[in-house]
């Protein structure tokens, strides 16, 4: 835990555990692990195998990352909404234009009917 790094804890006694002595349940993986141990012992003169651990991230930093991501997604959504709104306005103007053209066409037919009577 990152919160405990560099802290002196009372009533805690660290235990020295040799991870190489704990076998895997899967025999195929265990044989691969044993080969790796032998290779590393011959190369490193009995140094312990260092296992790669996932780096821990402080909770406060992960909260900041989540907050930034949320803000970014909100900005994207707002931009999409603005684009959608402008598209709707453009379509409304086109519709009004076509309606006015249709009214003119209708008035033309009304005049034509009066002349034919």
């Amino acid at each position: 835990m990152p919160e405990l790094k560099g802290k002196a804890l009372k009533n805690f006694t660290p235990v020295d555990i040799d991870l190489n002595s704990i076998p895997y349940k899967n025999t195929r993986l265990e044989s691969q692990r044993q080969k790796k141990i032998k290779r590393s012992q011959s190369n490193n003169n009995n140094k312990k195998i260092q296992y790669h651990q996932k780096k821990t991230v402080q909770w406060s930093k992960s909260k900041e990352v989540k907050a930034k991501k949320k803000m970014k997604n909100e900005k994207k959504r707002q931009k999409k909404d603005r684009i959608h709104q402008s598209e709707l306005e453009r379509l409304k103007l086109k519709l009004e234009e076509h309606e006015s053209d249709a009214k003119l066409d209708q008035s033309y037919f009304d005049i034509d009917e009066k002349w034919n009577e």
Side-chain angles (χ1 to χ4, degrees), residues 76-106:
K76 281 183 182 179
R77 189 185 61 75
Q78 288 175 353
K79 183 178 178 183
K80 238 184 213 184
D81 288 346
R82 283 194 306 268
I83 291 171
H84 182 69
Q85 190 66 28
S86 65
E87 184 68 20
L88 281 176
E89 289 173 5
R90 187 183 64 80
L91 289 174
K92 282 181 183 178
L93 288 175
K94 266 191 171 182
L95 181 63
E96 288 173 1
E97 184 179 303
H98 287 291
E99 285 177 350
S100 65
D101 289 344
K103 285 179 184 176
L104 289 176
D105 290 342
Q106 185 62 34

Side-chain angles (χ1 to χ4, degrees), residues 100-113:
S100 65
D101 289 344
K103 285 179 184 176
L104 289 176
D105 290 342
Q106 185 62 34
S107 64
Y108 173 75
F109 288 119
D110 291 341
I111 293 172
D112 193 34
E113 286 177 7

